């Protein structure tokens, strides 16, 4: 699939022009030559050949364009070929056009190479900020999908991550104010704070407070700063068949059990960046899990997407229909959303599906000998 580039050998390369663009100059050359031979000598079609080198410059490099230019000059300059009768200033004009076409082709190829270099660095940086989630984190199956609203970028204002730590497996899905490349710095800061909290904070609310403090510190000293984000945090503690959920002004996750979709009763707290110490610590919801349960966390780019009539995308209604799609739930939701909106929503979209594997411990195995693991039985 072409998306303005191709990947080969781990390096990005400029996209190859479509086949028709490479065939068109050749077909036009042959067609004009045959048409000139089939028409009376009083009808001059050969000078249309002068337009082929500029066309070839958009599909071929400097060498290929020069080859076209040479063929055109021969056809127009050699009378015995019966195609053209250019001479003097006419032939010089065609030669100047041909030379200019070769220069255009060379500049275009060089510019393409520079753009590929810049894009390679940009994409590497964006992937470092938001790397793909692994297929499994502990006993949890993970599937993530991200689509940035700003074309040509991999990361925007949404974020997600799944990490294992001493207190179980923890996940976050968030939505930063704004979108596109301008929000990438905030996304990087929040993800860094979350990864530290996974290792250091025994309570899920402490992780939320760490993210909130990160945004408060980032906006300190900035005049008229309005830096905030919404997020939902999930924790799968070791040895317990449940998930703890904290919502900071974020759309609630959906629990898919078989073909039944429910919304866990989570009391939303204030968004991040407003100072949780003053605004109030969000409540922690405890939801019982069973093997095979799936949790779908998402950003408002999904539920606030509209169709041509202005209706919102009915995610909870569509999930049971899409649950058995062979492409997986996350990709199925995205394809259905793109079809619903007629090409895709105008906001960043993040989807994270977490599947509970069979077994009594969706977090992390308890230590051998029956001793309780870190954070045992914390309510």
């Amino acid at each position: 699939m072409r998306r303005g580039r191709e990947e080969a050998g781990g390096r990005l390369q400029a996209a190859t022009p479509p086949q028709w663009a490479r065939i068109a100059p050749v077909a036009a050359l042959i067609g004009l030559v045959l048409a000139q031979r089939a028409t009376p000598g009083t009808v001059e079609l050969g000078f249309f050949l002068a337009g082929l080198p500029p066309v070839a410059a958009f599909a071929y490099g400097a060498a290929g364009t020069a080859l076209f230019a040479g063929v055109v000059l021969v056809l127009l300059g050699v009378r015995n070929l019966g195609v053209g009768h250019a001479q003097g200033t006419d032939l010089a004009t065609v030669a100047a056009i041909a030379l200019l076409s070769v220069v255009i082709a060379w500049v275009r190829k060089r510019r393409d190479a520079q753009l590929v270099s810049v894009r390679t660095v940009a994409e590497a940086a964006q992937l470092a900020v938001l790397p793909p989630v692994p297929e499994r984190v502990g006993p949890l199956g993970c599937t993530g999908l991200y689509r940035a609203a700003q074309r040509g970028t991999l990361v925007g204002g949404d974020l997600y991550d799944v990490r294992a730590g001493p207190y179980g497996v923890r996940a976050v899905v968030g939505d930063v104010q704004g979108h596109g490349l301008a929000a990438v710095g905030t996304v990087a800061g929040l993800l860094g704070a979350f990864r530290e909290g996974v290792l250091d904070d025994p309570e899920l609310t402490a992780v939320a407070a760490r993210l909130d403090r990160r945004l408060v510190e980032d906006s300190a000293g900035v005049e008229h700063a309005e830096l905030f984000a919404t997020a939902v945090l999930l924790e799968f503690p070791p040895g317990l068949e449940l998930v703890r959920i904290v919502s900071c002004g974020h759309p609630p996750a959906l629990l898919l059990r078989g073909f039944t979709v429910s919304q866990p009763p989570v009391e939303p707290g204030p968004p991040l960046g407003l100072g949780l110490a003053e605004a109030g610590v969000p409540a922690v919801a405890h939801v019982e899990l069973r093997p095979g349960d799936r949790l779908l966390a998402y950003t408002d780019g999904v539920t606030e997407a509209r169709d041509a009539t202005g209706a919102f995308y009915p995610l909870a209604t569509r999930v049971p229909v899409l649950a058995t799609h062979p492409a997986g739930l996350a990709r199925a939701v995205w394809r259905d959303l793109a079809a619903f909106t007629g090409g895709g929503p105008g906001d960043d979209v993040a989807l994270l599906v977490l599947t509970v594997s069979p077994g009594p411990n969706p977090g992390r195995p308890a230590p051998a000998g029956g001793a309780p693991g870190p954070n045992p039985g914390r309510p």
Side-chain angles (χ1 to χ4, degrees):
M1 180 178 62
R2 286 186 173 88
R3 297 181 61 184
R5 62 177 177 84
E6 291 182 349
E7 190 170 345
R11 296 183 61 187
L12 295 174
Q13 295 183 349
T16 303
Q19 194 66 23
W20 64 265
R22 300 177 67 86
I23 294 176
V26 179
L29 177 67
I30 297 173
L32 285 172
V33 170
L34 294 178
Q36 180 63 69
R37 287 187 172 276
T39 56
T42 55
V43 179
E44 183 64 61
L45 299 177
F47 281 104
F48 285 106
L49 294 171
L52 294 185
V55 174
F58 291 97
Y60 292 88
T65 304
L67 178 61
F68 267 98
V71 171
V72 167
L73 289 173
V74 170
L75 290 174
L76 292 179
V78 179
R79 286 177 164 272
N80 295 336
L81 296 178
V83 177
H85 307 90
Q87 55 184 343
T89 56
D90 291 338
L91 192 60
T93 301
V94 175
I97 294 173
L99 179 60
L100 181 61
S101 302
V102 173
V103 173
I104 290 173
W106 179 80
V107 171
R108 181 186 63 82
K109 292 288 287 186
R110 184 171 181 176
R111 175 179 172 275
D112 288 348
Q114 291 174 338
L115 288 175
V116 167
S117 178
V118 171
R119 180 173 290 178
T120 301
V121 174
E123 292 192 3
Q126 293 179 63
L127 286 174
V129 172
L130 190 67
V133 295
E135 293 184 3
R136 299 193 68 80
V137 178
L140 282 178
C142 308
T143 305
L145 184 143
Y146 197 108
R147 294 293 184 271
Q150 184 172 327
R151 291 185 176 272
T153 61
L154 300 180
V155 181
D158 290 356
L159 60 102
Y160 57 72
D161 200 5
V162 186
R163 298 277 165 162
Y167 309 104
V169 177
R170 286 171 170 171
V172 63
V173 175
D175 186 357
V176 173
Q177 175 201 22
H179 55 78
L181 292 176
V184 172
T186 305
V187 168
L190 285 176
L191 287 174
F194 169 75
R195 291 160 187 168
E196 292 176 357
V198 167
L199 299 176
D200 299 336
D201 297 328
E203 302 291 337
L204 193 59
T205 52
V207 181
R210 182 186 290 264
L211 300 182
D212 175 75
R213 188 166 60 252
R214 175 75 271 163
L215 289 183
V216 171
E217 290 296 325
D218 287 347
S219 60
V222 179
E223 188 177 0
H224 305 302
E226 297 181 355
L227 188 60
F228 65 90
T230 65
V232 60
L233 299 165
L234 302 97
E235 177 183 86
F236 301 83
L240 299 177
E241 296 181 345
L242 59 84
V243 59
R244 297 188 179 101
I245 305 176
V246 167
S247 174
C248 299
H250 197 79
L254 298 178
L255 174 62
L256 178 60
R257 179 169 292 163
F259 294 97
T260 302
V261 174
S262 62
Q263 182 178 306
V266 180
E267 181 180 345
L272 302 171
L274 303 183
L276 291 184
E278 294 79 15
V281 178
V284 181
H286 300 75
V287 181
E288 179 186 354
L289 295 177
R290 299 176 186 174
D293 284 355
R294 283 182 281 181
L295 284 160
L296 172 62
Y298 54 92
T299 55
D300 60 10
V302 178
T303 52
E304 293 183 0
R306 299 172 181 258
D307 64 5
T309 66
F312 289 107
Y313 179 70
L315 177 63
T317 304
R318 298 296 299 163
V319 164
V321 180
L322 304 170
T324 58
H325 198 283
L329 180 58
R331 290 190 177 277
V333 169
W334 169 252
R335 292 175 181 176
D336 191 56
L337 178 64
F340 179 84
T341 57
D347 196 3
D348 300 325
V349 168
L351 296 164
L352 181 64
V353 180
L354 302 174
T355 304
V356 181
S357 300
N361 188 357
R364 203 164 79 173
N375 198 30
R378 177 163 56 88

